[in-house]
Amino acid sequence: MDLNSASTVVLQVLTQATSQDTAVLKPAEEQLKQWETQPGFYSVLLNIFTNHSLDVNVRWLAVLYFKNGIDRYWRRVAPHALSEEEKTTLRAGLITNFNEPVNQIATQISVLIAKVARVDCPRQWPELIPTLVEAVKVQDDLQQHRVLLTFYHVTKTLASKRLAADRKLFYDLTSSIYSFACSLWNHHTDTFLQQICTGDETAAANSLERTLLSLKVLRKLTVHGFVEPHWNAEVMGFLHAVFERLKQFLECSRSVRAESICRDRLEKTIILFTKVLLDFLDQHPCSFTALIQRSLEFSVSYVFTEAGEGVVFEQFIVQCMNLIKMIVKNYAYKPSKNIEDSSPETLEAHKIKTAFFTYPTLMEICRRLVTHYFLLTKEELTMWEEDPESFTVEETGGDSWKYSLRPCMEVLFIDIFHEYNQTLTPVLLEMVHSLQGSTNVENTNAILIKDAVYNAVGLAAYELFDSVDFDQWFKNQLLAELQVSHDRYKPIRRRVIWLIGQWISVKFKSDLRPVLYEAIRSLLQDRDLVVRIETATTLKLTVDDFEFRTDQFLPYLESMFTLLFQLLQEVTQCDTKMHVLHVLSCVIERVNMQIRPYVGCLVQYLPLLWKQSEEHNMLRCAILTTLIHLVQGLGADSKNLYPFLLPVIQLSTDVSQPPHVYLLEDGLELWLVTLENSPCLTPELLRIFQNMSALLELSSENLKNCFKIINAYIFLSSPEFLQMYAADLCRSFCELLKDITIEGQVQVLKVVENVLKVNPVLGPQMFQPLLPSVFRGIIEGERYPVVMSTYLGIMGRVLLQNARFFSLLLSQMACELGQELDQILGNMIEMWVDRMDNITQPERRKLSALALLSLLPSLNSVIQDKFCGIINISVEGLNDVMTEDSETGTYKDCMLMSHFEEPKATEDEEPPTEQDKRKKMLALKDPVHTVSLQQFIYEKLKAQQELLGEQGFHALMETVDTEIVAQLQEFLQGF
């Protein structure tokens, strides 16, 4: 691409690509895409985006295309890779000057230089870092900023490389520029502090930006540029200086007005200082030992004493709390139980921590956390009143503990209490004892203090197990507080029911559950929405608990379910509806069939909620979960839900529909339980299976559930299902078996086995293309036992229940392998006998014995030659299935089933599904469960004896080991 002639053309097309008119935009984008691989194209783009006289939008687009081209074509091995000559020119052009006037474009140029550096620096681009170091010394504000910006992005990118050779290069780079980076940062920091003191806000803002960028560079160099940074005096000097600078910047923030242009950037810089410390602690805990004392003193001083008043802000408090938490919880600072196994650094760190966290310090931290930070703020109380649903989402941890103050302070409290529980337990208990009895509803502060203390007791529930008699506290105090209905007392009602939820799985007597259910039922009718939502949460924790007893809950089920449903209708936000749905799902799951009389209202409401949640896929996931438990609870009656249920399954499992990304896993689970509980196959249920072919092609983690669904269809209605889908299934299975795990292979084979079990006549014909590979696997001695076992299960079904098809298959294999029929049959029997130990399931072991015995009586010399092996397997089978009647002393086959008995489910067991019943009925037709192995062996041996005559049969039996014969005779006594 000739630069002079091409520049005009490319500029014109880029201009068209910024158009809002799609008729102009689309052809331009297509043309640019074609040029991506043209030599010289990126040189033209470089000329365009570095030409400050051109339109900003065109330059912006040029730099984006350049950046994307680096990702695709810069590496030597990439298809259509840029030539080395062009890359050399481009690298030189990128660092010729640093005077880009537009911030957004400057940032993009810095990023793309960093992308090139990731591939080429330092080997192909040794001049990059020296150029940046020299350029940053120029006394031009704009150039200094742009160079620092580039310096930061290059450092950040190089620091992120993880290969050993790349790490070594970054260590070398850091050692060569660290002193310069420190002096640069100190210079810009001092300049900013001087300018802010003189009141020159505009100059101070520019200096602060350069301070921020140079600190970002230092952060990456310090954290990632040294193997053992504690041996480097400059690094440790910088880190100690961070504390001094932090104090200066915090004091400086007192004088900077909130509306000042410096304020936001000043807070960002303060947070960046704390990030340096946090990152260093995370990456180099041993090197951080020398900083533990100072970090704790600094953080505790600003967060838990008056020193921080007027200067600290929320994000800074969060960072300081995170610093304390990471020191308290750090495993590198915890000695082993055997002190001799601990490193000197660990012992030193532990010693520093122990010396710092004295009783007065811990007590003050605990008291300040509880009585200051835990208090609900004015903003939170206002949100409670004006937007109660958002308040509950915030309170339940909508934000990560690392970034939001309330989750952060609660996690810090939990960690400190866990680490120093013996010291802090008396402190917290004393707070609790000071709050006995109900609190004056007019005293808002006292109510908020009690809320905070109860919050602490809930968070520390596991640590307080031996120190609090929660049952007595519940009966003597907490229950009465739940009954105070005054509106101003609602923080306590909410906190007490939350507190009970925290303790329910820790220490709560089972016989108190009915009293609690009464309280929950009452609170679900509370005037305050937040209280009702919190109560629903505690109900979920209660029914989820392993000590939950259905009989205690049933008297309250109808009223609770009705109140929960009313709450579901009342709340409007997606997150809250999901939460209440999860509570409902949990209740349905625990009471199972007992829910049937009460679900009518929910069943009528869910279709409307599904329609309303079209744009909220996570809410739809919650609806799917609810439907799963509903179907399980309703059992066969779930067929009444099909007009709503089946379209939901259809949409959720259709991979051509965008929502499937969110809904597929739950949709498959719903599909499966619907089939398991279906009393019969409907045309609509059969039609949904059209989705399966595409699902099998995905070969995703959902494949296991797909096979379960296929099996469920086979058990539900084998003839109609197989007639419509067997051919497609067989094709899908053939493709799957070419590239699938051993577990997946077994799942496919089990489907085939189930087909043969359900339909032994037509099944082999329908899946005929799969059977030669099964046969071949047997005679070649498949090396995976679990696969071999399944092969033998399949072949056992064919041989026992469809001898005619087995003969055809034998002929086909003889033809394919170019061997005699008898030779192939002999090889198969020999391998079967040899690999019998691969079969661990008693049903399959009995099936193998029945199948091989079905070859008798026979005059075939090969079968007679393998007679000994067949008898060995048969006697093994007898040992597996025969049990001795202690009264009569006779043996009977324990696998025989004579009639259908609907299994009785105990309270702790789930009732049998319709599929369980179908499997039971199928077993009544299965030779494994209807044919006595003892009787079958006797009849086959008798027939063989009649065929060969006494002498011939005697000769045949002599080939069998005498011990096996003795066992056989013992089992056949009485015949």
Side-chain angles (χ1 to χ4, degrees):
M1 187 176 274
D2 178 61
L3 290 188
N4 294 326
S5 59
S7 291
T8 308
V9 179
V10 173
L11 181 60
Q12 183 181 359
V13 174
L14 282 169
T15 306
Q16 292 167 350
T18 62
S19 171
Q20 300 297 313
D21 184 354
T22 53
V24 176
L25 172 67
K26 290 296 180 187
E29 287 181 338
E30 284 297 318
Q31 182 59 70
L32 289 167
K33 189 171 181 62
Q34 291 176 19
W35 283 338
E36 280 181 0
T37 55
Q38 290 290 314
F41 176 59
Y42 295 96
S43 299
V44 173
L45 290 177
L46 176 64
N47 288 342
I48 290 171
F49 70 70
T50 54
N51 185 342
H52 303 162
S53 65
L54 297 176
D55 179 70
V56 170
N57 293 324
V58 173
R59 294 172 59 227
W60 169 258
L61 199 58
V63 80
L64 288 184
Y65 268 94
F66 193 105
K67 189 176 74 169
N68 293 337
I70 293 170
D71 290 333
R72 291 174 189 153
Y73 309 115
W74 195 272
R75 292 185 183 276
R76 294 178 185 176
V77 295
H80 309 292
L82 274 73
S83 68
E84 291 304 313
E85 293 77 16
E86 186 172 4
K87 286 199 287 186
T88 301
T89 305
L90 292 173
R91 284 192 293 261
L94 285 170
I95 54 174
T96 299
N97 55 60
F98 297 93
N99 57 356
E100 173 54 55
V102 181
N103 283 333
Q104 293 91 333
I105 294 177
T107 301
Q108 290 301 323
I109 292 173
S110 296
V111 170
L112 69 85
I113 289 173
K115 282 178 176 287
V116 174
R118 184 178 184 87
V119 181
D120 289 354
C121 184
R123 292 185 179 90
Q124 284 80 39
W125 206 2
E127 65 273 19
L128 172 62
I129 301 298
T131 301
L132 293 175
V133 169
E134 287 305 312
V136 81
K137 296 175 184 175
V138 175
Q139 295 304 307
D140 177 86
D141 285 353
L142 179 67
Q143 177 163 327
Q144 267 198 351
H145 179 272
R146 298 318 190 216
V147 176
L148 273 172
L149 184 65
T150 305
F151 208 166
Y152 162 61
H153 281 288
V154 168
T155 310
K156 178 183 174 184
T157 300
L158 295 179
S160 69
K161 299 179 80 173
R162 288 291 170 261
L163 293 177
D166 294 323
R167 304 295 315 132
K168 175 69 169 61
L169 288 171
F170 191 69
Y171 297 149
D172 294 343
L173 167 67
T174 301
S175 64
S176 67
I177 64 170
Y178 197 79
S179 295
F180 172 74
C182 284
S183 61
L184 192 65
W185 168 67
N186 274 315
H187 167 70
H188 289 306
T189 304
D190 288 336
T191 304
F192 161 73
L193 291 170
Q194 290 164 9
Q195 289 168 337
I196 204 71
C197 286
T198 59
D200 189 349
E201 282 196 4
T202 305
N206 289 332
S207 294
L208 183 55
E209 180 65 23
R210 293 193 284 279
T211 300
L212 190 62
L213 285 171
S214 56
L215 183 57
K216 285 182 176 182
V217 172
L218 260 181
R219 175 190 175 195
K220 294 299 176 184
L221 295 176
T222 303
V223 173
H224 301 288
F226 298 92
V227 180
E228 294 180 310
H230 56 284
W231 296 118
N232 188 298
E234 253 185 322
V235 172
M236 300 313 290
F238 162 67
L239 290 167
H240 281 290
V242 164
F243 294 102
E244 297 304 322
R245 293 301 196 184
L246 258 173
K247 288 178 182 177
Q248 290 175 328
F249 274 63
L250 284 165
E251 286 304 312
C252 182
S253 68
R254 289 183 191 272
S255 59
V256 176
R257 294 171 293 112
E259 65 276 11
S260 165
I261 56 175
C262 285
R263 184 74 198 191
D264 180 57
R265 215 165 285 167
L266 183 62
E267 290 189 357
K268 280 184 180 177
T269 308
I270 290 169
I271 294 304
L272 187 60
F273 280 124
T274 63
K275 285 181 177 178
V276 171
L277 296 171
L278 284 164
D279 286 357
F280 191 77
L281 170 55
D282 181 56
Q283 293 292 319
H284 305 284
C286 291
S287 297
F288 196 86
T289 302
L291 302 166
I292 291 176
Q293 180 75 24
R294 199 163 185 185
S295 298
L296 290 173
E297 287 173 351
F298 176 87
S299 301
V300 171
S301 170
Y302 275 99
V303 176
F304 295 110
T305 72
E306 287 71 27
E309 289 181 7
V311 295
V312 298
F313 51 97
E314 182 173 311
Q315 197 56 42
F316 174 72
I317 295 170
V318 167
Q319 293 293 90
C320 287
M321 286 185 174
N322 284 338
L323 190 57
I324 299 169
K325 173 193 173 300
M326 285 179 70
I327 292 171
V328 167
K329 204 176 179 182
N330 204 302
Y331 287 108
Y333 303 154
K334 293 184 180 180
S336 304
K337 288 183 179 178
N338 184 358
I339 297 295
E340 295 173 0
D341 295 335
S342 304
S343 67
E345 294 85 359
T346 297
L347 294 174
E348 176 64 20
H350 182 69
K351 179 181 172 184
I352 295 168
K353 280 171 57 181
T354 305
F356 180 83
F357 286 113
T358 59
Y359 175 77
T361 301
L362 286 168
M363 184 175 69
E364 185 59 28
I365 289 173
C366 181
R367 287 190 176 279
R368 289 275 293 183
L369 273 172
V370 176
T371 60
H372 176 69
Y373 287 108
F374 277 18
L375 295 183
L376 289 169
T377 64
K378 286 181 181 178
E379 292 78 12
E380 287 171 323
L381 291 169
T382 301
M383 182 185 281
W384 185 330
E385 294 299 329
E386 296 177 358
D387 190 0
E389 289 187 51
S390 294
F391 173 82
T392 58
V393 171
E394 289 284 325
E395 281 289 295
T396 51
D399 296 312
S400 164
W401 64 265
K402 284 188 177 180
Y403 309 111
S404 182
L405 180 56
R406 184 161 291 279
C408 174
M409 63 193 177
E410 290 181 350
V411 169
L412 175 62
F413 174 81
I414 291 168
D415 288 336
I416 286 186
F417 205 94
H418 174 75
E419 190 76 10
Y420 303 102
N421 65 80
Q422 290 185 328
T423 305
L424 292 176
T425 293
V427 177
L428 185 55
L429 290 181
E430 191 273 324
M431 290 188 202
V432 174
H433 291 146
S434 70
L435 298 170
Q436 291 298 323
S438 61
T439 305
N440 185 347
V441 295
E442 303 298 329
N443 190 339
T444 303
N445 189 56
I447 285 174
L448 294 180
I449 291 283
K450 179 177 273 193
D451 172 79
V453 172
Y454 283 6
N455 185 15
V457 176
L459 294 172
Y462 285 97
E463 308 299 334
L464 295 171
F465 180 87
D466 293 321
S467 306
V468 173
D469 186 342
F470 193 80
D471 296 327
Q472 286 300 314
W473 194 27
F474 171 73
K475 287 189 290 186
N476 298 338
Q477 163 114 9
L478 299 179
L479 197 56
E481 299 209 78
L482 289 176
Q483 293 162 356
V484 179
S485 59
H486 197 285
D487 186 60
R488 289 184 185 171
Y489 214 71
K490 65 189 180 188
I492 303 302
R493 291 198 301 279
R494 165 188 168 261
R495 181 58 69 190
V496 169
I497 200 65
W498 170 87
L499 175 63
I500 294 166
Q502 302 309 297
W503 275 84
I504 199 77
S505 61
V506 178
K507 184 192 280 187
F508 196 87
K509 277 185 182 174
S510 180
D511 56 10
L512 287 175
R513 295 291 177 108
V515 183
L516 174 58
Y517 294 146
E518 289 280 2
I520 288 174
R521 180 166 63 183
S522 174
L523 286 178
L524 283 172
Q525 301 170 72
D526 198 278
R527 290 192 302 273
D528 186 76
L529 181 59
V530 173
V531 173
R532 296 204 301 281
I533 292 170
E534 196 64 68
T535 304
T537 306
T538 295
L539 175 60
K540 180 181 183 297
L541 293 169
T542 306
V543 299
D544 253 348
D545 185 53
F546 72 95
E547 287 192 7
F548 173 79
R549 280 170 42 196
T550 309
D551 61 313
Q552 289 181 319
F553 185 69
L554 284 178
Y556 308 93
L557 175 58
E558 181 177 6
S559 53
M560 293 261 208
F561 198 83
T562 303
L563 291 166
L564 283 171
F565 175 65
Q566 289 170 1
L567 180 60
L568 177 65
Q569 289 180 298
E570 182 181 351
V571 297
T572 56
Q573 289 189 15
C574 181
D575 284 339
T576 328
K577 280 193 179 290
M578 282 169 57
H579 179 62
V580 179
L581 265 177
H582 282 310
V583 179
L584 280 163
S585 294
C586 192
V587 171
I588 295 167
E589 183 180 18
R590 292 312 297 262
V591 302
N592 209 285
M593 292 167 57
Q594 313 273 11
I595 199 67
R596 292 181 184 182
Y598 315 119
V599 294
C601 55
L602 181 63
V603 166
Q604 290 175 4
Y605 176 65
L606 284 178
L608 174 64
L609 185 59
W610 180 265
K611 189 173 182 181
Q612 291 172 343
S613 61
E614 193 169 353
E615 301 301 318
H616 304 282
N617 287 309
M618 298 314 293
L619 177 53
R620 285 196 158 183
C621 286
I623 296 171
L624 288 173
T625 303
T626 305
L627 284 170
I628 288 166
H629 296 310
L630 259 180
V631 170
Q632 288 170 327
L634 291 171
D637 290 344
S638 61
K639 66 180 185 299
N640 298 323
L641 299 182
Y642 284 3
F644 167 55
L645 195 61
L646 300 190
V648 166
I649 296 171
Q650 165 72 40
L651 173 71
S652 306
T653 59
D654 184 351
V655 296
S656 67
Q657 298 290 333
H660 91 272
V661 175
Y662 305 95
L663 308 179
L664 180 58
E665 188 174 344
D666 292 317
L668 287 171
E669 186 69 27
L670 178 59
W671 191 358
L672 178 60
V673 299
T674 300
L675 290 166
E676 288 174 341
N677 289 278
S678 176
C680 59
L681 185 65
T682 66
E684 295 78 17
L685 200 51
L686 189 60
R687 199 174 304 124
I688 294 176
F689 196 80
Q690 292 171 356
N691 285 358
M692 184 56 70
S693 180
L695 288 167
L696 292 176
E697 287 176 14
L698 279 181
S699 296
S700 67
E701 65 277 2
N702 294 307
L703 211 49
K704 199 168 186 177
N705 262 348
C706 290
F707 289 128
K708 288 181 180 178
I709 288 166
I710 296 166
N711 284 321
Y713 272 103
I714 291 166
F715 293 129
L716 179 58
S717 183
S718 171
E720 297 101 309
F721 170 69
L722 291 175
Q723 187 177 0
M724 185 174 289
Y725 293 111
D728 289 340
L729 262 183
C730 194
R731 276 194 293 273
S732 295
F733 286 174
C734 287
E735 286 300 313
L736 271 175
L737 289 171
K738 292 176 183 175
D739 182 25
I740 198 170
T741 63
I742 295 301
E743 185 186 1
Q745 194 176 342
V746 170
Q747 294 294 332
V748 171
L749 295 169
K750 280 184 177 177
V751 173
V752 178
E753 190 176 16
N754 283 330
V755 170
L756 300 179
K757 189 186 296 185
V758 173
N759 201 326
V761 177
L762 294 177
Q765 297 173 21
M766 292 175 166
F767 286 87
Q768 193 277 335
L770 289 168
L771 295 179
S773 62
V774 172
F775 198 105
R776 195 177 291 109
I778 293 172
I779 62 175
E780 290 175 358
E782 164 63 44
R783 64 193 178 108
Y784 291 104
V786 65
V787 178
M788 187 62 159
S789 172
T790 318
Y791 280 166
L792 294 173
I794 290 171
M795 203 50 61
R797 290 279 169 196
V798 177
L799 177 55
L800 179 63
Q801 295 180 267
N802 199 332
R804 179 176 167 277
F805 187 87
F806 179 79
S807 298
L808 293 172
L809 180 61
L810 202 59
S811 300
Q812 180 186 344
M813 296 310 299
C815 186
E816 284 185 17
L817 299 173
Q819 296 177 12
E820 293 294 325
L821 270 175
D822 285 351
Q823 184 185 354
I824 290 216
L825 177 61
N827 290 345
M828 186 195 75
I829 298 171
E830 186 174 334
M831 192 57 72
W832 203 322
V833 172
D834 184 55
R835 300 292 291 275
M836 184 67 177
D837 286 343
N838 288 169
I839 306 176
T840 55
Q841 303 91 331
E843 290 86 355
R844 276 200 193 141
R845 290 178 68 82
K846 180 178 176 180
L847 175 65
S848 286
L850 291 172
L852 289 176
L853 282 167
S854 71
L855 293 169
L856 303 177
S858 175
L859 292 171
N860 186 301
S861 60
V862 170
I863 293 174
Q864 290 188 23
D865 185 48
K866 306 300 179 187
F867 179 80
C868 171
I870 294 172
I871 298 302
N872 286 349
I873 282 183
S874 303
V875 173
E876 278 188 44
L878 286 170
N879 280 303
D880 290 331
V881 304
M882 299 304 286
T883 55
E884 188 175 5
D885 189 321
S886 56
E887 293 182 6
T888 63
T890 58
Y891 289 94
K892 62 179 180 180
D893 190 331
C894 66
M895 287 194 181
L896 290 180
M897 294 168 56
S898 55
H899 62 285
F900 176 72
E901 281 185 16
E902 186 155 331
K904 301 283 193 299
T906 65
E907 185 183 322
D908 297 330
E909 294 175 335
E910 291 185 3
T913 64
E914 295 298 304
Q915 179 160 300
D916 292 331
K917 297 172 189 175
R918 284 191 283 271
K919 286 182 176 180
K920 190 88 175 187
M921 293 299 294
L922 179 61
L924 291 175
K925 301 175 185 175
D926 187 345
V928 173
H929 298 291
T930 57
V931 175
S932 163
L933 181 56
Q934 186 185 29
Q935 178 81 28
F936 197 66
I937 291 176
Y938 172 75
E939 290 174 357
K940 288 296 181 180
L941 291 180
K942 192 168 182 296
Q944 187 71 27
Q945 184 180 19
E946 290 171 359
L947 184 64
L948 296 181
E950 191 69 38
Q951 190 176 353
F953 182 70
H954 180 71
L956 201 57
M957 287 300 293
E958 282 192 334
T959 63
V960 182
D961 185 85
T962 53
E963 188 180 334
I964 298 294
V965 172
Q967 289 182 41
L968 181 61
Q969 287 170 342
E970 185 180 354
F971 281 122
L972 297 184
Q973 280 179 2
F975 280 91

